[in-house]
Every structure is written in C-alpha cells, then in structure tokens.
Amino acid sequence: MLISKTRFINYIRCDRYPALDEIHREKNKAVVSFSEQDDLSDLMSKENEAKISVLLESMIDEHNEDILVKTNPQMETMLKYYNEIEMISGRIIERKFKGDTIYALDTFDQKRFEYELEGYRFYCFLDGYQEDKDTIRIFEVKSTTSKKFLDMTFKLDDQRLSVFEYSPESILMLREDLGLEVNEDYHKKLKKLRNRLSKEGRYFYDIAYQRYVLEHTLKTDKNVKYYLGVLNSKYVHQGLVDDQNKPIYSDDLITFIDVTEFTKSMMSIIEKDQKIVMDRLDEMNANPVDLGPHCQRKDSRECIFYPICYKNIPAKNSIFTYIDGHHGFKDELGEKHDRFDLINQGYLTAFDVPYNWLNREKNKVQRQVMDSKIAFMENHKIKAAIESLKYPIYHLDFETFPCPLPRFKGETPYTQSLFQYSIHIEHSPGVCHKDHDNYGFIAKTHDDLRRELVETMIDIIKDDGGSIMVYNQSFEQTRLKEMAKFFPEHQERLLDMVDRLVDLMDFVKGNKKFFKSLGFDDQQADGFCYYHNDLNGSFSIKKVLPVFSHLKYDGMPIGNGTDALVAYANFPFMEKKEFEQTYQDLLEYCKQDTWAMVEILDALRKQVN
Ligand code: SF4
C-alpha cells in the first residue's frame, strides 16, 4: 500500500480513519473489521457487509455521488495563487542558495523519495530540492505567512522575546539554533511546534514526515538542511509591475525557516506515529472512536468523515452551542470538564450539561432561552445604544479579496484587498429607502481601483458626524485605517469615519467597553443584550437577520462572502453577458448586507419602544 504525506497525516488522526478511508475508496469491496477479535469469517460475514453498507450510505447518495468530498470554491479560486507562490519560491531558492534546484508544480517533475516497510510504501514529493557539492537542501513551501511564527514569544527575565529570530543571512531560526539565551518558558512554547494539530505545528509535522522518509531513503555524506518556505507577513509590495502588468516581487517575499535541528528532534515522534499508522492499517477497525481535536472541527483541515462521526450531535442546541464552551465546564466540586470529554461520555445536547456547571453568565442566559424558548432582551441597554446614534446613519459594508500575493502598492500577503462597498443612508429613525438610499461600488476589473473606491465613498459619507454603522466593527475599521495609510491625502476623512463607527453586533451580542462608554457600570455593561433560541450560539448577521426580518439570503445567486470573492476573482475570465449578470448579483448581495442592518436596527427600535 502506498502512503503519501497527506494519507499519513490523516491515518494518524484516530483508529477509525483508515477503515473509513478504505470503505470510501473501495466501496463494497472494502475489507474492514468492527471488532478487535474479528477473524477472516467475521470479515466476510453478512453482518459485516451490512455495517459497511450503512457507512457507505453516509458517503455516497442514491446517484452514486460522493457526499463527503465537498467543493471549496474559495480554495479553487486561490489555487492559482498558491501555485504561483510555489514557483516564485523555487526561483528564489535558486538565487538565494545557489545550486542545482528541482522544483515544479507537477508532482511528476518533483523530486520523489520512497521506501518500503513491512509491505507499506511511504513516499514524499518535495516542493524544492537543491544540491551542491557539500549540502542538500530540502524545502517545503506553504501558502501561510510568517506571522504565526513571529508571534510566538516567551518571557525571559522581564522581557518578552521572540521564539524565532532572523540569522545574518535573513533565515528565520529558532533562538537556540542561533546560540541565543533560552529558558524553561521558551521550551514550553516549543510544545506548540511539536503539536501536529496546532496552527504552527502542522507545518513542522509535514516537513518532519518528509525528513523521515528521506532519511530512510537517501544515503549521503552531505550535510542535509531542511527549510519551510512561507510568505513574509511584513513584506510590502512596492507596486512594481512588468510589461504585462504583473506584480514584480523582491526575494524577501518569501521567508525561509531553518527547521533542521527541530525536525531532527521530531524523528522519534514520526517513528512512533508510523508504528501506530501501520497497526491501524493492519487492524482496519471501523468502529466509532472518541471525538476530539484530532477531528479538526471547523478547521481548514477538518476530517472528511466529520458528518459520519458527528451525526449524533444535533445541529441545533448541541453542546457546541455554548459560547466559549471550548474552555470547558466546571462541576459543583470545581472539577473542570473538557467539552470533548463530555461528548465522549454522551453529553451531546446543550441540555445534557447540568445547569449548575454553566459558570459563564452568557451560557446561563443561553440555557434559559433554550429551556423557555423566550428571547432574552436587555431593553434599556438596546434603547441606550439606539439613542446614542447620530443621524443620518450610514450603514456600511465592505467586500474584500484576501489575495495571498499582494497585488497593489502598499499591500502585504493576504491583505484584505477592498473591491466593493455598499452604503444605505438612514436619514432619520426608520427613514431609508431600500433602492433610492443605496449606493454601491464594485471594482469592475482587477486593476487598482482603490482610489476610486475611497473617493466615491467619502463623497457619499459626508463629513456630518452621522453614525457609520457596520456589523462586526474590527473588519471595516481595519480596512478604513489601511486606506488612510495608502491615501494620506484622505487620511483625515477616513480616520474621522473610524471614530464614527458603531457596531450593530454590539446591540445584540453586547460589548462591555461600548456600554461602559454609554454610562453603564461594569456589571450592567457586561453580557448579551439579546439572545434568541434560533441564534444557536452565533451572532453572525446571517443568523441574526432571520430573527428580526423575513429578508433571506437563500436563493440569491451570490449569497455569502465566499461567493462574492469568487465572483470578483473570476471577473477577468467572464464573457460580457456573464460579467454583467454577475456584477448585478454582486451589487444585490452587498446591498442586502447593508439593508439587513437597516432592518435589524428598525426591528430593535420597534421592540424597545
Ligand atoms: S471525524 Fe474524527 S473520529 Fe471520525 S474519522 Fe475523522 S478524526 Fe476520526
């Protein structure tokens, strides 16, 4: 059996994964067991076949379509940028390290290593391989940024220091590899890097697997070095373009992290994991196992079998509904219970958690609402928030394109590049026309149209002190501040807009700082302003809107932020007719977002008056 890096990482998740994977791939021909004692006759039994069929029904529908493999339009849209990052990295490796370099998008052209153990063939493809007369360098390129590594800090005496530092050659290295002072706290922080499920450690685990395969394949006296290549989060695009108008990047776009010493210390982990993987493949046990962080719920690496293993957890009012539930729940004796431990003991619904284990006020409110089905409402707080508004209110919403590679001058990797806004002007309480009071802008091409966007926006949003209402303020606030930096001539107006921002989400979810600014004391200012059973633990506008309005996103050709960015990303490849239709659909979508705010505010106003 062939085992790639991706398979290895999945097989190490849990005992059940390899068997589910076998059924997913082999369908009715799969040979898996449902007990540790199964012998050959058990494996071929009718009972076994029936159990496989039940699992298969959760994997393929009546038309034989796979229901587990979901398309990810955002991922597909970004793929071209991810590929470009790999090719750019390859060229930078060639220039920076000098030597014969092998890099390619097609795995067929990549350097491949493979070795066999007890009938299993472990293999890996390398994003970059370089060899000179003394050294072999191995590169794993990731479309993430250096930020998560640079953000890792530890405390030494009274100072907070970075776990990673740049070498004189501009290679990011662990402090200890540079001979700098470290301490116990530093080593504690490194645990994250050894955790294959953490957002930092997953990349180290990937390259550690590559190294393990390589060390069992490649016999060499040369020095072998291992590097992660990631986007430099501090890189600022200078706006240079070539004769085809494509951005020109300097070599510091990519940060190389020397992981040679660290991955060496991970070889024993991979060896242990390899043994576990082989045992699991030998056993092929498809019985349910404990759920936990290994499922990577709601993560970009969420397990493909999530719908199967989590099918008993209700979609509404499950234990996951409790806000901040990942911190666990404390029983009457003060003992803390982890959420997954509770799930594995059968506490699946929100009602299964004893009321006196709910130590957070917000969770108590949620439970009271779930039990009574009566919405919770802090009228006086909502009223005070509404009374603090200044008219006209400008309801504002942005759409952005988080391009991995900066496109325009001043942008960094993954800058949320603005391409659209919608504004509804509410002249006085409740006085706003859905169409006549709406103003929208969409960048029709992938040219840099930020100036036009900003200048038309500040024309519409007057310098009149009116509140600027957004939903989830930090997003719009950060974009406005970025624009103020890019266009210093409009800085004053844009920063004035920042000062006038009001977050409608605060009127529902609550926000201690905001309500304190309105004169509430510490205790009053804290907590929800509103909770409804249908919110199911979420205050996203898509959840809040149906509670207050009949307005719906269902059925809209563009119905969420991902659809919007995919539509914009595809503009240059559309025929005229398709473009015109998509442009209209995008306008409608963004308009709906600001109109939703008008409706929610109006509904709140009516409820408190
Ligand atoms: S969802 Fe979780 S328990 Fe189920 S196979 Fe995946 S990792 Fe294992």
Side-chain angles (χ1 to χ4, degrees):
M1 181 182 202
L2 284 169
I3 301 176
S4 64
K5 180 186 74 186
T6 309
R7 272 200 186 158
F8 189 88
I9 289 167
N10 278 323
Y11 289 165
I12 196 61
R13 283 177 187 273
C14 72
D15 285 348
R16 193 184 201 192
Y17 189 99
L20 291 184
D21 185 51
E22 175 78 359
I23 299 171
H24 190 220
R25 285 187 295 121
E26 299 296 327
K27 313 283 182 285
N28 288 318
K29 291 198 207 95
V31 180
V32 300
S33 87
F34 289 90
S35 136
E36 271 158 34
Q37 285 83 41
D38 277 356
D39 61 21
L40 195 61
S41 60
D42 291 325
L43 294 179
M44 300 299 167
S45 71
K46 287 277 167 231
E47 196 191 337
N48 211 307
E49 264 177 39
K51 284 180 177 169
I52 291 176
S53 289
V54 170
L55 286 169
L56 257 179
E57 277 168 23
S58 312
M59 297 182 186
I60 47 173
D61 66 13
E62 63 274 26
H63 309 295
N64 230 1
E65 294 287 331
D66 196 316
I67 44 182
L68 293 180
V69 179
K70 295 195 183 78
T71 52
N72 183 339
Q74 180 161 349
M75 185 72 154
E76 283 165 18
T77 301
M78 295 302 181
L79 193 62
K80 106 177 201 284
Y81 297 100
Y82 300 154
N83 288 341
E84 214 175 318
I85 291 166
E86 276 198 39
M87 296 313 285
I88 290 173
S89 302
R91 291 194 286 273
I92 296 176
I93 291 167
E94 237 168 10
R95 286 194 289 270
K96 192 174 174 90
F97 297 96
K98 303 200 175 58
D100 297 332
T101 311
I102 300 172
Y103 66 95
L105 286 182
D106 192 339
T107 47
F108 193 73
D109 297 323
Q110 288 177 345
K111 189 89 174 166
R112 174 189 167 123
F113 289 91
E114 174 179 332
Y115 87 103
E116 190 181 319
L117 183 68
E118 297 173 21
Y120 296 109
R121 296 196 72 78
F122 296 89
Y123 70 96
C124 67
F125 293 104
L126 302 179
D127 293 335
Y129 175 91
Q130 193 195 54
E131 191 163 355
D132 59 30
K133 68 179 182 18
D134 316 303
T135 312
I136 293 173
R137 295 184 187 87
I138 307 298
F139 298 89
E140 174 86 356
V141 176
K142 298 290 182 190
S143 300
T144 187
T145 74
S146 52
K147 185 173 185 305
K148 54 177 72 61
F149 303 108
L150 294 171
D151 283 351
M152 286 179 69
T153 59
F154 72 106
K155 222 171 157 203
L156 182 71
D157 302 327
D158 282 338
Q159 277 181 296
R160 192 143 279 288
L161 299 170
S162 270
V163 164
F164 288 92
E165 295 284 351
Y166 280 99
S167 73
E169 295 77 30
S170 300
I171 302 285
L172 201 57
M173 296 183 73
L174 280 166
R175 259 182 95 78
E176 60 183 318
D177 295 343
L178 284 166
L180 298 170
E181 188 182 356
V182 295
N183 62 7
E184 210 179 307
D185 190 37
Y186 166 89
H187 286 289
K188 232 194 260 167
K189 295 292 155 64
L190 291 195
K191 278 190 192 153
K192 252 190 193 173
L193 295 179
R194 281 200 183 85
N195 176 2
R196 66 187 154 80
L197 300 173
S198 79
K199 68 184 196 316
E200 301 86 3
R202 62 186 61 181
Y203 303 109
F204 278 65
Y205 192 87
D206 284 4
I207 191 164
Y209 168 85
Q210 312 277 59
R211 176 174 183 155
Y212 190 82
V213 173
L214 213 104
E215 285 193 350
H216 286 78
T217 318
L218 184 70
K219 302 292 164 225
T220 178
D221 294 332
K222 291 185 182 178
N223 184 20
V224 186
K225 305 272 291 172
Y226 295 84
Y227 298 90
L228 272 177
V230 296
L231 289 160
N232 173 5
S233 57
K234 300 242 167 80
Y235 181 85
V236 180
H237 180 42
Q238 297 306 313
L240 294 175
V241 289
D242 64 14
D243 49 9
Q244 284 162 37
N245 210 24
K246 287 180 75 181
I248 299 174
Y249 303 114
S250 53
D251 286 0
D252 55 340
L253 173 69
I254 303 293
T255 294
F256 292 101
I257 310 174
D258 185 339
V259 295
T260 310
E261 287 309 311
F262 195 80
T263 50
K264 188 174 170 190
S265 73
M266 287 180 75
M267 289 303 96
S268 56
I269 298 176
I270 305 288
E271 186 164 62
K272 221 167 77 218
D273 286 354
Q274 186 190 43
K275 171 95 183 59
I276 295 170
V277 164
M278 290 195 301
D279 285 348
R280 284 177 181 166
L281 287 167
D282 289 343
E283 278 167 25
M284 281 290 181
N285 192 324
N287 274 334
V289 295
D290 280 353
L291 308 179
H294 50 274
C295 308
Q296 294 182 286
R297 178 178 175 267
K298 301 222 173 213
D299 185 289
S300 58
R301 291 191 181 188
E302 182 177 279
C303 177
I304 187 180
F305 300 118
Y306 181 90
I308 294 176
C309 300
Y310 284 69
K311 70 175 191 306
N312 293 330
I313 298 185
K316 190 167 176 187
N317 291 343
S318 77
I319 190 169
F320 289 120
T321 300
Y322 287 120
I323 287 171
D324 294 334
H326 60 284
H327 294 306
F329 303 90
K330 251 189 213 156
D331 66 20
E332 45 284 270
L333 299 173
E335 195 187 328
K336 203 166 163 184
H337 298 270
D338 174 75
R339 189 167 59 178
F340 276 115
D341 288 345
L342 291 177
I343 289 172
N344 294 323
Q345 289 165 40
Y347 296 70
L348 304 184
T349 75
F351 306 101
D352 294 334
V353 182
Y355 184 80
N356 57 354
W357 290 17
L358 302 174
N359 329 104
R360 291 171 287 268
E361 269 317 303
K362 288 176 181 177
N363 291 165
K364 286 183 185 160
V365 170
Q366 285 185 278
R367 179 61 165 274
Q368 285 155 14
V369 171
M370 285 185 254
D371 281 335
S372 67
K373 310 274 187 301
I374 297 168
F376 168 87
M377 197 160 182
E378 292 269 54
N379 278 32
H380 61 300
K381 281 171 75 178
I382 299 174
K383 203 167 177 195
I386 292 174
E387 280 168 4
S388 75
L389 293 170
K390 297 188 179 69
Y391 293 83
I393 301 171
Y394 299 93
H395 297 264
L396 171 69
D397 183 60
F398 289 143
E399 296 300 327
T400 59
F401 184 59
C403 193
L405 288 166
R407 301 180 305 159
F408 309 132
K409 188 175 178 188
E411 289 189 346
T412 58
Y414 288 101
T415 285
Q416 295 280 358
S417 193
L418 265 177
F419 69 85
Q420 179 172 13
Y421 66 70
S422 171
I423 298 164
H424 266 99
I425 303 180
E426 187 173 349
H427 304 279
S428 56
V431 180
C432 180
H433 192 280
K434 185 176 182 183
D435 301 318
H436 303 156
D437 288 318
N438 177 242
Y439 301 85
F441 176 94
I442 302 176
K444 290 184 175 172
T445 67
H446 281 195
D447 294 331
D448 184 359
L449 298 175
R450 293 173 299 172
R451 175 176 293 281
E452 203 180 322
L453 184 148
V454 165
E455 291 182 350
T456 54
M457 179 177 69
I458 56 178
D459 252 8
I460 298 161
I461 299 183
K462 304 276 183 256
D463 185 14
D464 56 8
S467 300
I468 299 172
M469 182 153 273
V470 293
Y471 202 90
N472 204 357
Q473 183 171 339
S474 63
F475 185 77
E476 270 76 14
Q477 180 173 301
T478 312
R479 304 295 77 81
L480 287 171
K481 285 184 178 169
E482 283 164 359
M483 288 302 121
K485 223 165 94 192
F486 296 150
F487 302 109
E489 65 276 33
H490 298 305
Q491 193 178 64
E492 204 180 316
R493 287 292 316 278
L494 290 162
L495 293 183
D496 170 61
M497 284 176 65
V498 170
D499 292 340
R500 289 157 57 191
L501 287 175
V502 181
D503 192 343
L504 182 59
M505 190 158 78
D506 294 347
F507 291 34
V508 190
K509 191 178 183 186
N511 175 338
K512 194 170 175 181
K513 200 170 153 209
F514 172 63
F515 283 99
K516 277 185 79 173
S517 77
L518 296 182
F520 289 86
D521 67 27
D522 260 25
Q523 207 189 345
Q524 292 170 326
D526 208 8
F528 295 151
C529 292
Y530 185 88
Y531 191 75
H532 188 283
N533 196 30
D534 289 347
L535 292 181
N536 203 21
S538 164
F539 286 92
S540 76
I541 196 163
K542 305 283 187 291
K543 278 276 181 203
V544 170
L545 180 64
V547 171
F548 292 105
S549 153
H550 296 298
L551 212 59
K552 281 193 171 67
Y553 285 87
D554 303 348
M556 292 181 77
I558 293 176
N560 58 52
T562 303
D563 291 350
L565 82 82
V566 170
Y568 166 75
N570 288 322
F571 272 178
F573 315 107
M574 288 177 187
E575 298 291 337
K576 189 166 179 276
K577 219 168 146 207
E578 187 191 3
F579 168 77
E580 280 165 3
Q581 184 57 53
T582 310
Y583 181 83
Q584 279 310 318
D585 295 342
L586 252 181
L587 271 182
E588 276 309 307
Y589 166 68
C590 205
K591 179 173 161 186
Q592 173 102 332
D593 271 348
T594 44
W595 185 245
M597 288 195 274
V598 176
E599 291 230 336
I600 294 169
L601 178 62
D602 205 44
L604 285 171
R605 196 184 275 127
K606 284 177 181 143
Q607 293 209 17
V608 295
N609 283 324

